[in-house]
Amino acid sequence: MTTWHGWQEFVHTPPPVPPAPGDPPRSVEERLAYHSAFVTVRTPAIDTLATSVRTLLVLGRYQRTTARPSLIVTGPAAAGKSTALLHVGRTCHLAHTHHAPQPHRAADIQVPVAYVLVPPGATAKMLAAEFARFLGIPITARMTQTQITESVCDTYNQAGVRLVLIDEIHRVNPRTTTGAETADLIKDLTERIAATFVYAGIDVTQTPLFSGVRGAQLAGRATLIACGPLPARLGNKHRRAQAVSASPLFRRWVCQPNGVSRVVGVTGGLRRVGRRR
């Protein structure tokens, strides 16, 4: 999904349909394939992120100076941050392609959403190369970071990118020399690419990424969206409705009485339960 071809394949692959009552039993391989697919549960974090992204995209159409407001999705591991990011990104991509006119030439194809994964120990040049790789921008080993960044900003603006999703942002540490340069690059990209930026990472509020002088510049333009563990109890009506809404996504051999409540609070646990059953 970190290339344009892979992203298109992801967004245009229809979501799996849960088996209907009365369907013949499926094989173990078919069951595992179903529960390994991209099945999403509408959590409060996904709803909040979707609403916030839609609002910022509308506001971004009329903002011509300085960086646009951004969003930060944070929370513990396996809390559904990347899932929320991908779900909202796919929704925005499909909404854009549904309303946009059909391009007559390959050069007229619009790229509404870009998804970039921060590599471990990323330097500024490595991250700029990841942005270039998504759209297939040709780069060479002799190119400097400035040259790659110039090419990325020009191409992204020409391609009409309106939403940039940056995952695993917690891998950037501004307290190191390379991390500080990477943080400066992100700030530079937010000011030069006419798009809304959404970051996702593990407990980013506890990391130095959004603290200090550099962090304050990024955090000052961002709204925080927390992905927390879901409570196991069903006493609250809102949580009960959420658990019930998740049940149809899982086969009957998973959703035994109190089956959903056995998940240990994080959305990643739902998939693990489905694979073990």
Side-chain angles (χ1 to χ4, degrees), residues 11 17 20 23 31 73 96 155 190 192 275:
V11 298
V17 179
D23 284 355
R31 293 173 178 178
V73 183
H96 176 86
T155 306
T190 61
R192 298 178 60 184
R275 291 173 178 172

Side-chain angles (χ1 to χ4, degrees), residues 8-9 13-14 20-21 23 38 62 86 91 93 114 116 158 167 208 211 231 240-242 248 257 261:
Q8 280 189 307
E9 183 178 354
T13 299
D23 284 355
F38 190 75
Y62 308 99
L86 293 172
T91 302
H93 181 105
V116 177
Q158 290 177 9
D167 207 354
S211 60
R240 180 179 180 85
Q242 190 175 91
S261 65

Side-chain angles (χ1 to χ4, degrees), residues 121-141:
T123 63
K125 186 175 181 179
M126 288 171 59
L127 185 57
E130 287 296 311
F131 274 83
R133 189 168 73 91
F134 180 83
L135 286 185
I137 303 172
I139 60 174
T140 64

Side-chain angles (χ1 to χ4, degrees), residues 152-238:
V152 165
C153 293
D154 291 342
T155 306
Y156 272 56
N157 287 326
Q158 290 177 9
V161 177
R162 293 294 175 262
L163 180 63
V164 176
L165 309 175
I166 302 181
D167 207 354
E168 306 292 346
I169 192 67
H170 58 271
R171 292 175 175 173
V172 178
N173 183 7
R175 292 180 180 174
T176 65
T177 302
T178 57
E181 293 174 352
T182 305
D184 288 341
L185 171 67
I186 294 175
K187 180 179 178 295
D188 188 31
L189 293 175
T190 61
E191 294 176 344
R192 298 178 60 184
I193 297 177
T196 297
F197 280 66
V198 182
Y199 314 96
I202 299 175
D203 295 328
V204 294
T205 56
Q206 307 299 324
T207 66
L209 178 62
F210 294 99
S211 60
V213 177
R214 289 183 173 87
Q217 291 178 320
L218 291 174
R221 297 168 175 165
T223 300
L224 194 68
I225 297 177
C227 287
L230 303 177
R233 63 184 179 85
L234 301 179
N236 183 282
K237 292 183 179 180
H238 177 71

Side-chain angles (χ1 to χ4, degrees), residues 4-272:
W4 173 236
H5 175 74
W7 177 258
Q8 280 189 307
E9 183 178 354
F10 164 70
V11 298
H12 292 295
T13 299
V17 179
D23 284 355
R26 298 181 181 180
S27 65
V28 174
E29 184 176 350
E30 290 175 325
R31 293 173 178 178
L32 290 175
Y34 172 79
H35 286 291
S36 297
F38 190 75
V39 180
T40 58
V41 178
R42 293 299 299 266
T43 63
I46 288 181
D47 290 336
T48 302
L49 180 61
T51 302
S52 300
V53 167
R54 284 195 299 267
T55 302
L56 293 185
L57 287 176
V58 173
L59 294 175
R61 296 174 188 170
Y62 308 99
Q63 186 168 344
R64 296 291 182 267
T65 59
T66 71
R68 290 159 172 75
S70 58
L71 298 169
I72 305 172
V73 183
T74 183
K81 301 177 297 299
S82 296
T83 299
L85 207 65
L86 293 172
H87 176 82
V88 172
R90 178 166 66 178
T91 302
C92 292
H93 181 105
L94 294 176
H96 176 86
T97 55
H98 177 73
H99 294 96
Q102 289 293 330
H104 298 288
R105 301 177 303 167
D108 297 331
I109 296 177
Q110 294 287 296
V111 183
V113 181
Y115 177 76
V116 177
L117 191 67
V118 178
T123 63
K125 186 175 181 179
M126 288 171 59
L127 185 57
E130 287 296 311
F131 274 83
R133 189 168 73 91
F134 180 83
L135 286 185
I137 303 172
I139 60 174
T140 64
R142 294 184 178 182
M143 293 179 66
T144 65
Q145 174 199 325
T146 302
Q147 291 174 323
I148 298 175
T149 303
E150 290 285 345
S151 181
V152 165
C153 293
D154 291 342
T155 306
Y156 272 56
N157 287 326
Q158 290 177 9
V161 177
R162 293 294 175 262
L163 180 63
V164 176
L165 309 175
I166 302 181
D167 207 354
E168 306 292 346
I169 192 67
H170 58 271
R171 292 175 175 173
V172 178
N173 183 7
R175 292 180 180 174
T176 65
T177 302
T178 57
E181 293 174 352
T182 305
D184 288 341
L185 171 67
I186 294 175
K187 180 179 178 295
D188 188 31
L189 293 175
T190 61
E191 294 176 344
R192 298 178 60 184
I193 297 177
T196 297
F197 280 66
V198 182
Y199 314 96
I202 299 175
D203 295 328
V204 294
T205 56
Q206 307 299 324
T207 66
L209 178 62
F210 294 99
S211 60
V213 177
R214 289 183 173 87
Q217 291 178 320
L218 291 174
R221 297 168 175 165
T223 300
L224 194 68
I225 297 177
C227 287
L230 303 177
R233 63 184 179 85
L234 301 179
N236 183 282
K237 292 183 179 180
H238 177 71
R239 299 302 186 188
R240 180 179 180 85
Q242 190 175 91
V244 172
S245 69
S247 298
L249 299 176
F250 289 83
R251 293 187 58 87
R252 295 186 299 277
W253 50 273
V254 172
C255 293
Q256 302 297 329
N258 298 324
V260 175
S261 65
R262 290 202 302 271
V263 180
V264 292
V266 294
T267 55
L270 290 172
R271 182 171 297 175
R272 291 193 295 272

